[in-house]
Amino acid sequence: AAAAARLGTILRHLCPPTGAAALTTFPTSAQTASGKHPMEFHYTLDNNLLTPEQRHFYDENGYLLVKNLVSGEDIERFRNEFAKICKKEVQVPGLIIMRDVAIAKSEFVPDQKAVTKIQDFQEDEELFRYCTLPQILKYVECFTGPNIMAMHTMLINKPPDSGKKSSRHPMHQDLHYFPFRPADLIVCSWTAMEQIDRSNGCLVVLPGTHKGSLKQHDYPDWEGGVNKMYHGVRDYNKNRPRVHLVMEKGDTVFFHPLLIHGSGMNRTQGFRKAISCHYASADCHYIEVKGTSQENIEKEVVEIAQRKYGVNTPITLKDTWMIRGRLVKGERTNL
């Protein structure tokens, strides 16, 4: 069906119809490129921001690293806001605070478990500013088109590992959590807030896995325990070549939601920080996940949402995402 749709698009470009059925253009804010590679790329839109080499790399590997994209000044502001949240100096509606199952101390608050991640910070004006940075959206538009929704926000604070290896993040595909499609119009931006390498648990990616399908995810059987919501791919080729993404402060990687990725242990004494946002084209649509491999994550998310908000009426995974999405550019056409 996807191939047929692509063929139909190409034919309409070659023989454009007239009248009411005329093809609607899908512009970006960048000028249309007059390059030598028309219709060659499947995962990026045709504009003059990405070079043909960058587009080819993303097509083949499912990720693209852009150096020094976010300023040190912005990163320090995000870091300070995170510290305020951890110290409870700032209250953010809808924010989810996550803690490591094996940590009994905190970077900021004594006698409390470490805050290892905050999610859904869309109501925090300072942190959400990351999602609206022009230099970020300029690249996001190459993957989603001009109508851009910020769907999922995170600031990860990977703690020093306690020895139980619980600071790892199992290999997974982000699409497992999302009840909207098509996958090719979704992208994550993930920015290092300090130097990140294998010693403090950098991202690990399996290049090319974005070309596959969404796999079954479950909690891995790890001896030291697994953090809540950290599902992992049940079955994948562990011998497949992997890449450890070494990043400097301000570097940003953009990656496809089907790319299999994870992160290793933090073997240092410091907390490793990164900030990220998943974007989707506002032209995407919601799907029903019952009867699919995503049914288990829907059950878990819905239970958490019902407890958090005291909701007794039936809700779906779609409902939990509809309240989180924020338009950051263009028009909210569907999502």
Side-chain angles (χ1 to χ4, degrees):
R6 289 194 189 100
L7 179 60
T9 301
I10 294 171
L11 290 176
R12 289 197 301 275
H13 275 290
L14 295 175
C15 305
T18 58
L23 177 68
T24 301
T25 60
F26 196 60
T28 69
S29 61
Q31 296 178 357
T32 301
S34 58
K36 302 177 181 178
H37 307 275
M39 312 291 179
E40 183 180 346
F41 305 109
H42 301 291
Y43 296 97
T44 56
L45 299 177
D46 190 17
N47 59 56
N48 67 354
L49 177 62
L50 300 180
T51 66
E53 291 76 19
Q54 287 175 314
R55 296 183 68 190
H56 177 74
F57 186 90
Y58 189 87
D59 253 32
E60 292 301 309
N61 297 284
Y63 71 94
L64 182 68
L65 179 61
V66 180
K67 304 292 292 181
N68 196 31
L69 190 61
V70 179
S71 72
E73 178 184 356
D74 279 332
I75 288 174
E76 288 309 305
R77 289 177 59 177
F78 302 146
R79 183 184 291 272
N80 291 337
E81 185 71 4
F82 176 69
K84 291 178 182 178
I85 291 172
C86 290
K87 294 175 182 178
K88 299 186 178 179
E89 296 175 5
V90 175
Q91 300 293 326
V92 183
L95 185 74
I96 296 177
I97 296 178
M98 305 179 71
R99 311 178 194 278
D100 192 289
V101 293
I103 303 292
K105 62 180 181 179
S106 171
E107 184 178 10
F108 301 111
V109 185
D111 304 322
Q112 292 189 23
K113 291 183 178 180
V115 175
T116 59
K117 182 191 292 186
I118 59 174
Q119 293 192 125
D120 304 333
F121 58 67
Q122 66 273 1
E123 299 298 336
D124 185 282
E125 183 178 351
E126 179 58 43
L127 290 183
F128 192 70
R129 198 170 56 81
Y130 168 79
C131 307
T132 65
L133 289 175
Q135 67 268 38
I136 294 282
L137 293 180
K138 181 172 64 172
Y139 278 93
V140 170
E141 191 171 350
C142 298
F143 307 100
T144 65
N147 300 318
I148 306 174
M149 297 286 295
M151 298 299 293
H152 182 227
T153 53
M154 293 190 301
L155 194 153
I156 305 106
N157 186 45
K158 185 187 281 286
D161 197 87
S162 65
K164 296 187 176 181
K165 302 181 181 180
S166 59
S167 66
R168 294 176 294 172
H169 197 140
M171 302 298 282
H172 64 284
Q173 297 166 298
D174 289 339
L175 193 66
H176 170 65
Y177 298 92
F178 303 153
F180 41 89
R181 301 291 189 275
D184 292 348
L185 294 182
I186 303 169
V187 71
C188 178
S189 69
W190 195 99
T191 299
M193 296 177 67
E194 56 208 302
Q195 182 175 349
I196 297 177
D197 54 32
R198 296 185 69 167
S199 67
N200 59 4
C202 64
L203 283 180
V204 181
V205 300
L206 301 187
T209 50
H210 67 300
K211 298 179 182 180
S213 59
L214 180 60
K215 297 181 178 295
Q216 180 71 41
H217 286 62
D218 294 296
Y219 283 110
D221 185 18
W222 285 354
E223 186 176 335
V226 185
N227 288 311
K228 192 72 173 174
M229 303 290 289
Y230 280 39
H231 291 192
V233 174
R234 176 186 289 176
D235 182 34
Y236 68 96
N237 182 3
K238 294 180 174 59
N239 295 319
R240 187 174 183 131
R242 56 182 61 195
V243 174
H244 293 81
L245 297 181
V246 176
M247 301 171 66
E248 301 294 329
K249 181 178 178 179
D251 292 354
T252 301
V253 61
F254 297 91
F255 58 90
H256 192 280
L258 281 173
L259 182 72
I260 296 177
H261 66 287
S263 64
M265 287 186 293
N266 180 0
R267 295 182 173 87
T268 70
Q269 296 304 305
F271 285 69
R272 185 273 273 164
K273 292 180 177 62
I275 187 169
S276 74
C277 179
H278 282 92
Y279 299 90
S281 168
D283 303 322
C284 287
H285 60 274
Y286 287 101
I287 63 166
E288 174 59 62
V289 300
K290 283 184 172 56
T292 74
S293 66
Q294 293 179 261
E295 194 167 7
N296 61 344
I297 193 64
E298 177 176 58
K299 183 175 183 293
E300 191 168 346
V301 169
V302 166
E303 287 175 353
I304 292 172
Q306 288 176 327
R307 286 199 306 269
K308 182 175 181 179
Y309 298 107
V311 176
N312 294 320
T313 55
I315 59 176
T316 65
L317 186 61
K318 170 185 173 181
D319 296 328
T320 68
W321 283 101
M322 289 183 70
I323 63 173
R324 286 184 265 188
R326 297 289 186 274
L327 183 72
V328 289
K329 191 169 186 179
E331 299 180 14
R332 189 165 188 169
T333 52
N334 195 31
L335 279 187

